[in-house]
């Protein structure tokens, strides 16, 4: 994590990304600043008309409206796929890891205890490779990055630290 400067927020605003989104992306999701201020927001599709059309088929497959919504908006599925893929099948299929992916995770300090973190990163839009190859930051490393970012910001803006 780094310190997000006012200039970064301005750039994000020009790209249609709010300050709240930038802060959340950097400090909560761990995105680097460049990605946080440039990657466009995901446009959510209105699924009510689609749900009305596919409700009977989805219900027959045990799919509720919330799951149908998530599949279309978060995962980018077509309405047909969202309505016809049974819930258990989707989870089982997406939960498998290849031997290479497991090895990559272990190499980066992500043992089986951190695979939920990897899954969460993927849900947040990270690529599988990025999610598996980015190590978990320890508290001291996070603190060090904040200090470095703050120093860089103060230097760029000609300010000095003050303890008031």
């Amino acid at each position: 994590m780094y310190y997000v400067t006012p200039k970064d927020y301005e750039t994000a605003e020009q790209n249609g990304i709010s300050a709240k989104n930038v802060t959340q992306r950097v400090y909560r999701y761990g995105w680097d600043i460049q990605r946080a201020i440039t990657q466009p927001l995901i446009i959510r599709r209105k699924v009510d008309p689609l749900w009305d059309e596919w409700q009977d088929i989805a219900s027959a497959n045990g799919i509720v409206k919330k799951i149908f919504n998530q599949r279309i908006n978060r995962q980018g599925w077509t309405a047909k796929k969202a309505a016809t893929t049974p819930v258990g099948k989707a989870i089982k299929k997406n939960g498998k890891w290849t031997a290479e992916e497991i090895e990559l995770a272990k190499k980066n300090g992500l043992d089986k205890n951190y695979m939920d973190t990897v899954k969460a990163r993927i849900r947040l839009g990270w690529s599988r490779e990025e999610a598996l190859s980015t190590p978990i930051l320890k508290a001291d490393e996070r603190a060090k990055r904040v200090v470095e970012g703050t120093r860089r910001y103060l230097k760029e803006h000609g300010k000095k630290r003050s303890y008031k």
Side-chain angles (χ1 to χ4, degrees), residues 90-164:
I91 294 170
K92 186 176 180 184
K93 183 177 179 183
N94 292 335
K96 292 186 178 177
W97 303 101
T98 66
E100 294 82 21
E101 288 174 330
I102 292 170
E103 193 58 40
L104 178 61
K106 285 181 183 177
K107 189 171 111 179
N108 290 292
L110 299 166
D111 61 13
K112 63 182 179 181
N113 297 325
Y114 287 105
M115 292 315 276
D116 285 340
T117 300
V118 173
K119 289 176 189 175
R121 289 173 172 179
I122 292 169
R123 280 193 306 273
L124 293 170
W126 294 32
S127 69
R128 284 177 79 95
E129 183 178 344
E130 184 182 18
L132 289 161
S133 61
T134 303
I136 302 286
L137 291 178
K138 302 215 183 293
D140 59 335
E141 178 62 25
R142 288 194 307 268
K144 188 167 87 174
R145 289 185 180 192
V146 169
V147 168
E148 288 170 4
T150 303
R151 285 185 181 145
R152 187 174 53 249
Y153 171 78
L154 293 173
K155 184 177 179 182
E156 288 173 3
H157 292 83
K159 297 182 178 181
K160 294 184 179 183
R161 288 191 314 194
S162 63
Y163 299 97
K164 293 181 181 181

Side-chain angles (χ1 to χ4, degrees), residues 4-14 37 153 156-157:
V4 183
T5 67
K7 184 176 181 179
D8 293 328
Y9 285 117
E10 288 174 22
T11 303
E13 196 67 41
Q14 292 169 359
I37 65 175
Y153 171 78
E156 288 173 3
H157 292 83

Side-chain angles (χ1 to χ4, degrees), residues 51-122:
W51 175 250
D52 293 341
E53 180 182 343
W54 290 92
Q55 181 176 3
D56 294 335
I57 296 169
S59 296
N61 288 305
I63 299 163
V64 295
K65 186 176 180 181
K66 181 178 179 182
I67 299 296
F68 184 79
N69 262 348
Q70 290 174 347
R71 288 176 167 186
I72 290 174
N73 283 323
R74 289 187 185 168
Q75 297 167 333
W77 290 15
T78 64
K80 180 179 181 179
K81 183 178 178 184
T84 58
T85 305
V87 176
K89 299 286 183 194
I91 294 170
K92 186 176 180 184
K93 183 177 179 183
N94 292 335
K96 292 186 178 177
W97 303 101
T98 66
E100 294 82 21
E101 288 174 330
I102 292 170
E103 193 58 40
L104 178 61
K106 285 181 183 177
K107 189 171 111 179
N108 290 292
L110 299 166
D111 61 13
K112 63 182 179 181
N113 297 325
Y114 287 105
M115 292 315 276
D116 285 340
T117 300
V118 173
K119 289 176 189 175
R121 289 173 172 179
I122 292 169

